[in-house]
Amino acid sequence: MADLFVYPKEGEPFAYLTDRDRTRIGRAADNDLALADQFSSSHHAALIRRGEKFTIVDAGSKNGTFVNGIKIQEETELANGDEILVGMTRLIFGKRPLSHVELVEAGPLGENINTIVNVRDILKESAVETITRRPSAALDPEAVRREQKILLVLNEVSQSLIYHMPMSDLLAHIMDLITENVSMDRAVLLLREGNPPQLVPRLVRIPNREMKDLNVRISQSVVRTALDKNSAVLVSDLQSDTQYRSQASIIQSRIHSALCVPLWDNKEIIGLIYGDRVSLVEPFTPDDMKLLTFLANLAAIKIENARLFDQALEKSRLDRELSLAVQIQRNFLPKENPAPAEFDLWGTNFCSSRVGGDYYDFIPLGPTSVGLTVADVSGHGVGAALLMASLRAALYSEVRPGASLDAMAAKLNEFVFRSSESDSFISFFYGELDKSTGELHYVNAGHNAPILAGRSGEIRRLTRTGFCLGMFAGADFEVGTARLGPGDRLCLFTDGITESRSPDQEEYGEERLLALLGTNAALSARETGERIVADVRAFSRKDDPEDDMTIVIVQRIG
């Protein structure tokens, strides 16, 4: 069993206990954990139990699923305390936070919120200038001492943040440095995360042990002022503020003074640091605000650099895995075109991304027959490639001389229906060609009708078809027949060929394909196929296709 502690954007937090192998999470009522969150997709993500471990996987959501602030691209293992962001709902896995951070509505800024300074103005100041300038030209020894302390702290913090560390360790280190150098009862680091971006509490530090179980309630008006004005906000004494002291959040929290500073990385605000004093009666000072602003700016730059570094590492890892996937997928395709004496066979495939969902194959079926197949998985990329690999394995387990093609197609349909999501399907053509007679028996599951071009220029489409694989359970398929005479050419293709678009968004279409197939009968299968590919690329004026493209030419010699 696993605990999920759910913190909605609006409403009370609650705990959800799951003992399922797969817990569906999303906005729709049929989810196991249904969220009243307009930014969550109907079926957003799933929590999966694998033995003693749990993972989270995104279910193709519009806004993505985030774990500890990072958008996940694949199934991700969870550890106790990991924070999952689904829409604008926070889910804490396995471990209830000691203190819950809540942004509460508050009225306009009170009379004691008497210091609002733009972050740029603070950072522009020389580190040896005092915030409170005296009219006298004489040096203020106390002010100089405070400035020297700020310089020493900034130097120490800068050195401690030089080296790269994992994001979770970095945030913890930053908060330790802040609470060590700015005295406060509680401190919260919030980062802008998710889609749409929202402030997510990432770390809480409570040096006062007596307050560890109390929720941290942060005034939204203070937060909005800090964000909207990119300013450090200092509230000197909330308990004596006539506009705040009647509010339940202030009374319950007994806050005397609060400080809120943007995490500004010199380009944008990526979050906030909030601190307050409850047991410490002495309010925050402008010097505290200045020091915290400098620390926050250093932290923001370091956090952003760490994010970029982690993204670069993740991209490098994904590139390595993708390169391996490309090689594996290439191994699934024919390494060479067979060369039977009676036929000229040629095929090729181009992916719109590095891996794709198109598939073609020539399958030996004994001395007189060869299996011809072309398939197109809905979508493209890694997911489509995995489904294509599964189809290939299932096809090879069913293909054998004399097998019933309609029964084989029905089994493949059931396999794809059970093995894929409801919006995934495969258009599929499979035919068995008798190399001695030219007879072709085939099944077509929603694929583009192959084109049979006679040596004299006549054109015929093999139009017998059925539903795509995986579209409906229990679908039936019919077997079609055709015959290739001497000089005839059969063209199998995916819609990446005919649906290629020009810069004016005109489709290549079948007519152009038919025109090329109906002429140049003297060309070999390779020459015909390469001429079609070149014509499609010239038409679209793109080297990389928008969709996966596959074409197979089968030409009877004679």
Side-chain angles (χ1 to χ4, degrees):
M1 293 188 294
D3 286 319
L4 284 176
F5 299 96
V6 185
Y7 297 91
K9 181 68 174 176
E10 296 180 359
E12 292 298 316
F14 61 92
Y16 181 86
L17 180 65
T18 177
D19 57 357
R20 300 172 180 267
D21 289 335
R22 187 181 185 93
T23 301
R24 298 172 301 164
I25 304 169
R27 193 177 70 249
D30 62 351
N31 286 287
D32 302 304
L33 176 55
L35 305 175
D37 185 338
Q38 62 176 324
F39 296 103
S40 166
S41 294
S42 296
H43 299 92
H44 197 109
L47 183 72
I48 301 170
R49 179 170 62 183
R50 299 194 181 282
E52 297 298 318
K53 297 180 179 179
F54 283 83
T55 62
I56 187 81
V57 63
D58 186 78
S61 67
K62 179 179 178 182
N63 293 326
T65 302
F66 296 77
V67 175
N68 297 329
I70 299 174
K71 186 175 182 179
I72 62 173
Q73 305 295 335
E74 56 189 15
E75 191 171 330
T76 301
E77 187 174 332
L78 295 172
N80 281 347
D82 280 350
E83 182 167 302
I84 306 161
L85 192 61
V86 173
M88 300 191 79
T89 304
R90 294 170 56 223
L91 310 170
I92 309 298
F93 174 77
K95 180 180 179 182
R96 184 191 295 273
L98 291 176
S99 296
H100 169 51
V101 178
E102 181 182 2
L103 298 181
V104 297
E105 285 294 339
L109 292 177
E111 60 199 36
N112 285 323
I113 302 184
N114 51 10
T115 309
I116 301 173
V117 184
N118 189 278
V119 169
R120 290 181 178 87
D121 294 335
I122 295 176
L123 298 178
K124 276 186 210 173
E125 292 188 26
S126 166
V128 293
E129 291 184 77
T130 57
I131 293 176
T132 55
R133 294 180 176 83
R134 297 179 180 274
S136 170
L139 290 176
D140 180 353
E142 180 61 23
V144 173
R145 187 191 65 79
R146 292 197 302 267
E147 289 298 324
Q148 287 177 337
K149 177 184 175 183
I150 290 176
L151 279 173
L152 290 172
V153 170
L154 293 177
N155 182 57
E156 178 186 347
V157 170
S158 298
Q159 290 185 23
S160 67
L161 293 178
I162 288 176
Y163 300 105
H164 175 75
M165 59 184 76
M167 181 64 76
S168 58
D169 295 344
L170 173 64
L171 298 182
H173 187 49
I174 287 170
M175 290 301 283
D176 289 340
L177 291 169
I178 286 172
T179 53
E180 286 171 8
N181 291 285
V182 182
S183 180
M184 58 184 72
D185 284 314
R186 302 181 299 186
V188 182
L189 188 150
L190 305 98
L191 293 180
R192 272 182 161 167
E193 295 174 353
N195 188 11
Q198 61 171 311
L199 281 175
V200 176
R202 288 298 307 277
L203 211 63
V204 180
R205 281 287 184 268
I206 304 181
N208 187 338
R209 293 184 175 274
E210 295 180 358
M211 302 181 65
K212 283 195 176 293
D213 294 329
L214 296 179
N215 290 340
V216 183
R217 312 185 77 182
I218 304 175
S219 165
Q220 295 232 35
S221 60
V222 172
V223 168
R224 280 195 292 267
T225 300
L227 293 177
D228 295 346
K229 297 184 177 183
N230 190 19
S231 295
V233 179
L234 170 60
V235 186
S236 59
D237 194 342
L238 284 172
Q239 291 294 331
S240 65
D241 190 321
T242 57
Q243 296 193 41
Y244 271 84
R245 64 189 176 194
S246 63
Q247 293 179 15
S249 62
I250 302 303
I251 295 171
Q252 293 169 7
S253 300
R254 307 190 308 277
I255 298 172
H256 287 288
S257 184
L259 192 54
C260 189
V261 175
L263 284 164
W264 185 60
D265 64 0
N266 299 329
K267 295 180 294 183
E268 61 180 344
I269 298 173
I270 65 171
L272 291 171
I273 292 177
Y274 169 86
D276 60 29
R277 289 178 174 176
V278 179
S279 63
L280 301 170
V281 178
E282 183 181 346
F284 288 111
T285 67
D287 281 341
D288 293 324
M289 182 179 69
K290 180 177 181 180
L291 176 57
L292 186 57
T293 302
F294 276 116
L295 293 176
N297 182 246
L298 285 172
I301 294 171
K302 183 64 179 179
I303 289 170
E304 193 58 26
N305 288 342
R307 279 177 171 171
L308 294 174
F309 185 83
D310 288 344
Q311 288 172 7
L313 289 178
E314 179 66 10
K315 183 178 183 301
S316 176
R317 184 185 68 82
L318 290 175
D319 283 344
R320 290 195 301 271
E321 292 184 357
L322 196 56
S323 296
L324 178 60
V326 169
Q327 186 57 49
I328 292 172
Q329 186 179 35
R330 284 293 162 194
N331 290 337
F332 289 159
L333 300 176
K335 292 182 171 58
E336 59 184 9
N337 295 304
E342 305 86 350
F343 281 85
D344 184 9
L345 306 178
W346 179 87
T348 192
N349 163 266
F350 300 95
C351 296
S352 58
S353 54
R354 292 177 65 182
V355 292
D358 277 11
Y359 168 58
Y360 79 96
D361 211 344
F362 305 112
I363 305 175
L365 296 174
T368 62
S369 296
V370 61
L372 311 171
T373 186
V374 172
D376 183 0
V377 179
S378 59
H380 46 81
V382 175
L386 290 173
L387 188 53
M388 180 274 282
S390 299
L391 172 69
R392 178 183 183 273
L395 174 63
Y396 268 77
S397 70
E398 295 293 335
V399 168
R400 56 188 175 275
S404 170
L405 299 190
D406 52 348
M408 178 196 73
K411 288 183 179 179
L412 293 177
N413 178 70
E414 295 304 307
F415 169 78
V416 176
F417 185 83
R418 294 193 311 268
S419 304
S420 61
E421 299 294 333
S422 59
D423 58 349
S424 296
F425 51 87
I426 304 174
S427 67
F428 169 79
F429 176 91
Y430 175 79
E432 292 186 356
L433 177 66
D434 189 317
K435 293 182 288 186
S436 61
T437 66
E439 292 290 333
L440 176 72
H441 294 80
Y442 67 89
V443 286
N444 190 338
H447 197 75
N448 304 82
I451 299 170
L452 181 57
R455 66 183 302 175
S456 301
E458 68 275 14
I459 296 294
R460 175 191 170 194
R461 291 183 177 88
L462 307 187
T463 55
R464 179 159 294 183
T465 188
F467 291 115
C468 292
L469 300 182
M471 188 171 285
F472 299 105
D476 293 326
F477 299 88
E478 296 183 15
V479 178
T481 60
R483 182 178 181 276
L484 277 71
D488 291 349
R489 285 179 289 185
L490 179 68
C491 178
L492 312 175
F493 59 95
T494 59
D495 58 14
I497 296 288
T498 53
E499 294 180 4
S500 291
R501 293 181 179 272
S502 70
D504 297 329
Q505 296 304 300
E506 180 186 2
E507 281 194 356
Y508 184 79
E510 282 196 9
E511 294 304 317
R512 291 180 173 84
L513 180 58
L514 292 172
L516 286 175
L517 288 170
T519 58
N520 304 306
L523 297 179
S524 67
R526 173 183 289 277
E527 290 169 335
T528 301
E530 289 179 344
R531 180 164 295 190
I532 291 171
V533 170
D535 195 56
V536 171
R537 284 182 165 168
F539 177 81
S540 64
R541 300 182 189 175
K542 292 178 181 176
D543 290 332
D544 296 322
E546 293 182 358
D547 193 7
D548 303 333
M549 294 196 312
T550 298
I551 188 165
V552 172
I553 303 294
V554 179
Q555 184 165 324
R556 187 171 183 182
I557 298 172

